[in-house]
PDB file of all heavy atoms in Angstrom:
ATOM      1  N   ALA A  17      23.217 223.232   1.957  1.00 86.00           N
ATOM      2  CA  ALA A  17      23.595 223.949   3.166  1.00 86.00           C
ATOM      3  C   ALA A  17      22.323 224.531   3.866  1.00 86.00           C
ATOM      4  O   ALA A  17      21.354 224.846   3.166  1.00 86.00           O
ATOM      5  CB  ALA A  17      24.442 225.088   2.803  1.00 86.00           C
ATOM      6  N   GLY A  23      18.822 239.324  11.302  1.00 97.00           N
ATOM      7  CA  GLY A  23      17.815 240.369  11.085  1.00 97.00           C
ATOM      8  C   GLY A  23      17.351 241.023  12.423  1.00 97.00           C
ATOM      9  O   GLY A  23      17.864 240.700  13.483  1.00 97.00           O
ATOM     10  N   ASP A  28       6.862 240.893  18.621  1.00 95.00           N
ATOM     11  CA  ASP A  28       6.955 239.745  19.534  1.00 95.00           C
ATOM     12  C   ASP A  28       5.651 239.470  20.194  1.00 95.00           C
ATOM     13  O   ASP A  28       5.542 238.934  21.322  1.00 95.00           O
ATOM     14  CB  ASP A  28       7.990 239.928  20.533  1.00 95.00           C
ATOM     15  CG  ASP A  28       7.783 241.109  21.496  1.00 95.00           C
ATOM     16  OD1 ASP A  28       6.863 241.910  21.199  1.00 95.00           O
ATOM     17  OD2 ASP A  28       8.522 241.212  22.393  1.00 95.00           O
ATOM     18  N   ALA A  37      12.621 241.128  10.474  1.00 98.00           N
ATOM     19  CA  ALA A  37      12.802 241.810   9.282  1.00 98.00           C
ATOM     20  C   ALA A  37      14.245 241.685   8.826  1.00 98.00           C
ATOM     21  O   ALA A  37      15.150 241.994   9.646  1.00 98.00           O
ATOM     22  CB  ALA A  37      12.375 243.320   9.368  1.00 98.00           C
ATOM     23  N   ASN A  40      17.798 243.782   2.492  1.00 96.00           N
ATOM     24  CA  ASN A  40      18.754 243.445   1.414  1.00 96.00           C
ATOM     25  C   ASN A  40      18.991 244.628   0.615  1.00 96.00           C
ATOM     26  O   ASN A  40      18.096 245.318   0.054  1.00 96.00           O
ATOM     27  CB  ASN A  40      18.155 242.341   0.502  1.00 96.00           C
ATOM     28  CG  ASN A  40      19.018 241.982  -0.608  1.00 96.00           C
ATOM     29  OD1 ASN A  40      20.301 242.028  -0.530  1.00 96.00           O
ATOM     30  ND2 ASN A  40      18.492 241.660  -1.762  1.00 96.00           N
ATOM     31  N   TYR A  47      19.270 251.497 -13.045  1.00 97.00           N
ATOM     32  CA  TYR A  47      19.658 252.912 -12.663  1.00 97.00           C
ATOM     33  C   TYR A  47      20.867 252.935 -11.680  1.00 97.00           C
ATOM     34  O   TYR A  47      21.481 253.901 -11.474  1.00 97.00           O
ATOM     35  CB  TYR A  47      18.508 253.659 -12.049  1.00 97.00           C
ATOM     36  CG  TYR A  47      17.333 253.691 -13.051  1.00 97.00           C
ATOM     37  CD1 TYR A  47      16.164 253.108 -12.867  1.00 97.00           C
ATOM     38  CD2 TYR A  47      17.453 254.572 -14.127  1.00 97.00           C
ATOM     39  CE1 TYR A  47      15.160 253.105 -13.731  1.00 97.00           C
ATOM     40  CE2 TYR A  47      16.447 254.646 -15.110  1.00 97.00           C
ATOM     41  CZ  TYR A  47      15.268 253.901 -14.893  1.00 97.00           C
ATOM     42  OH  TYR A  47      14.265 254.052 -15.797  1.00 97.00           O
ATOM     43  N   LYS A  58       8.421 234.916   9.725  1.00 98.00           N
ATOM     44  CA  LYS A  58       7.844 234.396  11.050  1.00 98.00           C
ATOM     45  C   LYS A  58       8.788 233.418  11.562  1.00 98.00           C
ATOM     46  O   LYS A  58       9.142 232.400  10.872  1.00 98.00           O
ATOM     47  CB  LYS A  58       6.433 233.823  10.915  1.00 98.00           C
ATOM     48  CG  LYS A  58       5.486 234.921  10.529  1.00 98.00           C
ATOM     49  CD  LYS A  58       4.171 234.698  11.195  1.00 98.00           C
ATOM     50  CE  LYS A  58       3.183 235.852  10.873  1.00 98.00           C
ATOM     51  NZ  LYS A  58       2.796 235.923   9.471  1.00 98.00           N
ATOM     52  N   GLU A  62      11.183 229.483  20.947  1.00 93.00           N
ATOM     53  CA  GLU A  62      10.645 228.554  21.972  1.00 93.00           C
ATOM     54  C   GLU A  62      10.499 229.160  23.354  1.00 93.00           C
ATOM     55  O   GLU A  62       9.496 228.988  24.038  1.00 93.00           O
ATOM     56  CB  GLU A  62      11.567 227.273  22.079  1.00 93.00           C
ATOM     57  CG  GLU A  62      10.950 226.183  23.044  1.00 93.00           C
ATOM     58  CD  GLU A  62       9.745 225.617  22.546  1.00 93.00           C
ATOM     59  OE1 GLU A  62       9.520 225.375  21.385  1.00 93.00           O
ATOM     60  OE2 GLU A  62       8.962 225.291  23.519  1.00 93.00           O
ATOM     61  N   ILE A  74      18.840 233.717  12.500  1.00 97.00           N
ATOM     62  CA  ILE A  74      17.805 232.673  12.378  1.00 97.00           C
ATOM     63  C   ILE A  74      18.266 231.628  11.435  1.00 97.00           C
ATOM     64  O   ILE A  74      19.155 231.811  10.629  1.00 97.00           O
ATOM     65  CB  ILE A  74      16.495 233.352  11.881  1.00 97.00           C
ATOM     66  CG1 ILE A  74      16.658 233.989  10.585  1.00 97.00           C
ATOM     67  CG2 ILE A  74      15.952 234.294  12.850  1.00 97.00           C
ATOM     68  CD1 ILE A  74      15.372 234.522   9.906  1.00 97.00           C
ATOM     69  N   THR A  93      22.431 240.936  19.664  1.00 92.00           N
ATOM     70  CA  THR A  93      22.435 242.062  20.519  1.00 92.00           C
ATOM     71  C   THR A  93      20.981 242.269  21.037  1.00 92.00           C
ATOM     72  O   THR A  93      20.039 241.906  20.321  1.00 92.00           O
ATOM     73  CB  THR A  93      22.892 243.387  19.743  1.00 92.00           C
ATOM     74  OG1 THR A  93      22.074 243.514  18.655  1.00 92.00           O
ATOM     75  CG2 THR A  93      24.295 243.217  19.392  1.00 92.00           C
TER      76      THR A  93
END
Side-chain angles (χ1 to χ4, degrees):
D28 63 349
N40 180 32
Y47 300 110
K58 293 216 175 68
E62 183 65 36
I74 63 174
T93 58

